[in-house]
C-alpha cells in the first residue's frame, strides 16, 4: 500500500487506511491488527510513523494496546452523520462478514444538456465507480458523481483505501443533509457482469443525494445491491 508525503502526514494516511479496514471487518473486533514491523514493511515507513497512527486510533477508541499482547480492535463502528442508526456496512461487519471495496475508475466527465447530471452539477462532474465485495463475492456496484466545485485538491486514487466521505471532509466540506431513495431496478448488462448476475435480474437500487451546510449538492450516487446474497438491513438504536 503506497502512502506519499504529497498526500499529507503519513501517519494520518495510515490511520485512515487502518480505520477503514476496521470498519469493513478486515480486522475483526477483539482480534489483533498486524504487528508494527509488518505495518512498517507494508507502508514502507518508520516505526514512529506507525506508532503515531496507532496512537490516533487508540485515542479515537478503535484500538487497545497492551505490552506483550499486541494491538487489539475494541470498536468497529463509527459516529455517522447520516443517521442515528448504524451504517449498513457496520451491521454486516458486526454479523461477522468482511466487506472489501475496489476502485474501478475515477475521472472527470462531460454532462450532456437536459440530463440529470447536467441539472445537478452543470457541464462537468467527477465520476467514481466502485465495487464492494461481501466475503469475497461481488455484492454492491456503486457509481458516485461529485461536484467540481471545491474539489480542486481531491486525490481520487486515495479511494482505494479511504472512505469517500472522509475524502470529502478533507476538502473542508461538511455534509449536512442526505436523501436516500430506494427502488427495485433491473440490472443492465454492465452492472450484471460486475455483480455476476443475469442482465434483467431484479436488484435493490439506492440513490443518494448529499448536500453541504448551504444546501449545495455535493454528491449524487447510484448503488445496486444483490439482495439475493444479503438483504439490506437498517438497525436503529432508540
Amino acid at each position: 500500500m503506497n502512502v506519499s508525503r504529497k498526500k499529507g502526514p503519513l501517519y494520518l494516511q495510515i490511520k485512515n487506511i487502518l480505520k477503514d479496514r476496521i470498519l469493513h471487518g478486515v480486522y475483526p473486533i477483539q482480534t489483533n491488527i498486524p504487528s508494527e514491523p509488518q505495518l512498517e514493511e507494508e507502508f514502507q515507513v518508520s516505526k514512529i510513523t506507525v506508532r503515531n497512527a496507532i496512537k490516533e486510533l487508540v485515542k479515537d477508541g478503535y484500538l487497545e494496546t497492551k505490552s506483550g499482547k499486541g494491538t487489539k480492535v475494541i470498536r468497529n463502528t463509527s459516529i455517522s452523520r447520516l443517521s442515528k442508526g448504524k451504517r449498513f456496512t457496520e451491521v454486516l461487519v458486526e454479523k461477522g462478514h468482511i466487506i472489501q471495496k475496489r476502485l474501478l475508475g475515477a475521472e472527470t466527465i462531460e454532462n450532456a444538456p437536459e440530463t440529470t447530471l447536467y441539472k445537478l452539477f452543470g457541464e462537468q462532474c467527477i465520476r467514481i465507480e466502485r465495487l464492494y465485495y461481501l466475503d469475497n463475492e461481488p455484492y454492491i456496484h456503486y457509481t458516485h458523481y461529485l461536484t467540481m466545485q471545491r474539489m480542486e485538491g481531491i486525490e481520487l486514487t486515495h479511494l482505494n483505501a479511504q472512505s469517500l466521505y472522509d475524502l470529502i471532509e478533507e476538502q473542508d466540506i461538511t455534509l449536512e443533509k442526505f436523501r436516500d431513495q430506494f427502488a427495485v431496478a433491473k440490472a443492465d448488462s454492465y452492472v450484471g457482469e460486475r455483480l455476476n448476475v443475469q442482465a434483467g435480474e431484479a436488484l435493490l437500487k439506492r440513490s443518494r443525494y448529499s448536500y453541504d451546510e448551504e444546501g449545495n449538492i455535493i454528491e449524487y450516487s447510484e448503488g445496486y445491491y444483490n439482495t439475493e446474497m444479503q438483504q439490506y438491513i437498517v438497525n436503529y438504536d432508540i
Side-chain angles (χ1 to χ4, degrees):
M1 179 67 66
N2 293 326
V3 293
S4 170
R5 295 188 185 280
K6 294 180 181 179
K7 304 173 185 176
L10 296 179
Y11 78 96
L12 289 180
Q13 295 177 52
I14 296 170
K15 171 197 172 183
N16 287 333
I17 292 170
L18 297 180
K19 176 183 172 183
D20 193 73
R21 291 176 181 176
I22 291 168
L23 295 179
H24 287 85
V26 178
Y27 303 148
I29 196 165
Q30 298 302 318
T31 66
N32 284 1
I33 67 170
S35 67
E36 289 183 4
Q38 288 174 310
L39 294 174
E40 291 165 31
E41 182 177 356
E42 177 183 358
F43 296 109
Q44 293 296 295
V45 296
S46 67
K47 183 182 296 291
I48 189 64
T49 299
V50 168
R51 286 186 175 177
N52 285 338
I54 291 173
K55 284 180 182 177
E56 288 291 314
L57 290 168
V58 170
K59 183 174 66 175
D60 291 347
Y62 292 99
L63 298 177
E64 177 183 72
T65 58
K66 288 187 177 181
S67 179
K69 294 187 178 180
T71 303
K72 184 170 65 175
V73 178
I74 59 173
R75 174 175 150 225
N76 59 4
T77 58
S78 65
I79 299 174
S80 174
R81 298 180 64 88
L82 305 188
S83 73
K84 293 183 179 180
K86 294 178 181 177
R87 296 185 306 173
F88 178 49
T89 53
E90 292 178 356
V91 174
L92 295 180
V93 168
E94 284 189 346
K95 292 177 66 176
H97 296 290
I98 296 175
I99 307 295
Q100 296 167 301
K101 57 188 175 184
R102 180 161 65 95
L103 180 66
L104 301 182
E107 60 183 342
T108 299
I109 62 172
E110 303 289 331
N111 301 324
E114 305 303 322
T115 62
T116 297
L117 294 179
Y118 187 92
K119 294 174 182 177
L120 291 173
F121 303 113
E123 295 180 352
Q124 291 183 320
C125 68
I126 298 170
R127 179 182 181 275
I128 299 164
E129 182 184 2
R130 292 198 295 191
L131 189 62
Y132 287 79
Y133 293 81
L134 176 67
D135 302 326
N136 297 316
E137 295 293 331
Y139 175 47
I140 311 169
H141 179 270
Y142 246 107
T143 307
H144 305 269
Y145 302 94
L146 301 176
T147 178
M148 295 292 293
Q149 299 178 11
R150 302 168 65 187
M151 293 291 178
E152 295 83 1
I154 197 168
E155 290 282 350
L156 298 178
T157 54
H158 291 196
L159 287 166
N160 265 325
Q162 190 174 1
S163 160
L164 171 66
Y165 297 112
D166 285 346
L167 206 61
I168 291 174
E169 287 185 3
E170 288 180 1
Q171 308 308 308
D172 293 324
I173 299 173
T174 301
L175 297 178
E176 291 287 351
K177 180 182 176 183
F178 300 86
R179 179 162 62 90
D180 284 347
Q181 296 178 179
F182 294 90
V184 176
K186 293 182 179 179
D188 61 22
S189 58
Y190 183 83
V191 171
E193 182 178 352
R194 274 141 191 80
L195 292 179
N196 291 341
V197 300
Q198 295 292 324
E201 185 167 329
L203 301 173
L204 174 67
K205 178 182 178 181
R206 187 180 83 172
S207 302
R208 165 165 289 174
Y209 301 80
S210 305
Y211 302 86
D212 67 11
E213 63 274 19
E214 297 178 353
N216 300 311
I217 182 75
I218 299 297
E219 174 223 9
Y220 168 70
S221 60
E222 295 181 346
Y224 291 88
Y225 297 68
N226 181 4
T227 53
E228 287 295 317
M229 292 178 56
Q230 170 65 57
Q231 294 183 357
Y232 191 95
I233 302 169
V234 179
N235 282 351
Y236 291 101
D237 296 326
I238 305 300

